[in-house]
Amino acid sequence: MPRFATIDIGTNSVLLLVAERTEEGRFEAVRERAEITRLGRGVDATRQLSAEGMEATLAVLESFAREARELGAEDIAVSATSAARDASNGAEFLSAAKERAGVTVEIISGQLEAQLSFAAVYSDFAGEAAGPLLVLDIGGGSTEFIFGNPAGHVDFRHSFDVGAVRLTERCVRSDPMSPEDRARIESHLHDTFKTLPAPPPASVLVGVAGTVTTLYAVQHAIDPYDAERVHGGTLSVGELTALVDRLCRMPLEERRALPGMQPKRADVVPAGAIILLESVKALGLDGCRVSDRGLRWGLLAHRFGAGAARS
């Protein structure tokens, strides 16, 4: 059966999906991998991709592209999001990716990023949701909100320039995070999210990407990470409130040692957790579901024209 691959280059991490198209025309995962490379380190302040961030990301991209080809992928679609959009030297990164990994990286808009994330969530959650689906995609540099109707059409989508890496670099001055740092982040998010429309009645919120899955894994001490245990879980406002308080009070070295925590993500998780909690509050909801999928699955269907099914 034919195989295809997608690689999602985010501000904080790089994700690989190699999938096989079944006879029914749907995709099943052959391999999924993720590495934190922090391409977007410093971009919020300098508007440039750092040499360290580019090198770490290019090395992983080269490895992932080689792995995909070894697994028989006929084609590889590669997307880059917030950090590459914001950086003035993004063209340098694209050229190096082509030369070293033999792939063409498409810098996608925040609007397309939102649409692809919604497509991935809809394929998994539409059948069990009692009402319209809302998707929240918290990245390193940006956060996307997508409102969809039960038929799978997107009614509203918006990308905000707030992400776990961006807000950590912009607002956090101490370890552990001080009350002043936290208040600065919360105030900024309150002002940012006040433009969100009210969600439709009976809406179900689904969070995607590494911040949300990591918080669920830490909440339930899932170590080593197990996608099957994380996917489809729920985080309530009460759980999120207690988790934010805990993470903000905890020094970095203690956060790194938490069961379920990716050590390389530990420095930006408190800011990411605050984004999730303030997002849920801004929407007036009592919690969110958790998806282990995201843009890479939406990109697979977008580029190679098929639905998605869990393997």
Side-chain angles (χ1 to χ4, degrees), residues 29-113:
V30 174
R31 184 164 300 170
E32 294 188 78
R33 293 189 57 199
E35 293 286 346
I36 294 175
T37 63
R38 200 63 61 83
L39 176 65
R41 70 185 75 185
V43 168
D44 186 60
T46 67
R47 296 295 164 177
Q48 290 227 331
L49 300 173
S50 69
E52 297 82 2
M54 281 200 289
E55 177 53 38
T57 302
L58 288 167
V60 169
L61 177 61
E62 192 174 1
S63 173
F64 280 2
R66 181 171 58 250
E67 187 172 352
R69 293 182 182 113
E70 289 172 352
L71 289 169
E74 297 179 9
D75 200 357
I76 305 172
V78 187
S79 65
T81 53
S82 177
R85 284 197 299 265
D86 294 345
S88 61
N89 60 341
E92 178 185 341
F93 174 75
L94 301 186
S95 177
K98 182 70 173 178
E99 180 179 347
R100 289 181 52 171
V103 296
T104 299
V105 179
E106 177 187 2
I107 299 179
I108 63 174
S109 68
Q111 297 298 317
L112 179 57
E113 182 179 359

Side-chain angles (χ1 to χ4, degrees), residues 121 125 133-137 204-208 212 288-291:
V121 168
F125 289 87
L133 281 174
L134 314 181
V135 177
L136 174 66
D137 185 348
V204 176
L205 178 65
V206 181
V208 301
V212 179
C288 75
R289 300 291 302 278
V290 178
S291 172

Side-chain angles (χ1 to χ4, degrees), residues 227-285:
E228 294 300 323
R229 291 179 63 191
V230 171
H231 187 77
T234 300
L235 286 166
S236 69
V237 166
E239 289 173 327
L240 285 172
T241 300
L243 194 53
V244 167
D245 290 343
R246 178 186 177 200
L247 292 171
C248 288
R249 290 195 304 263
M250 190 176 291
L252 176 58
E253 288 306 311
E254 290 185 24
R255 295 199 302 270
R256 284 178 174 152
L258 285 172
M261 179 69 74
Q262 294 173 279
K264 289 183 179 180
R265 193 182 293 276
D267 58 334
V268 301
V269 156
I274 296 171
I275 294 172
L276 178 56
L277 177 58
E278 292 303 313
S279 298
V280 174
K281 288 181 177 179
L283 294 169
L285 301 175

Side-chain angles (χ1 to χ4, degrees), residues 109-183:
S109 68
Q111 297 298 317
L112 179 57
E113 182 179 359
Q115 183 178 337
L116 296 179
S117 295
F118 179 80
V121 168
Y122 186 82
S123 68
D124 274 347
F125 289 87
E128 62 180 81
L133 281 174
L134 314 181
V135 177
L136 174 66
D137 185 348
I138 301 172
S142 64
T143 293
E144 282 71 48
F145 289 82
I146 311 101
F147 293 13
N149 62 35
H153 300 297
V154 173
D155 294 328
F156 169 84
R157 56 178 181 255
H158 190 79
S159 179
F160 293 99
D161 282 336
V162 292
V165 174
R166 191 186 299 272
L167 290 189
T168 298
E169 292 181 349
R170 185 181 293 179
C171 300
V172 179
R173 302 287 179 265
S174 60
D175 176 40
M177 184 186 293
S178 69
E180 293 77 17
D181 291 345
R182 178 173 175 178

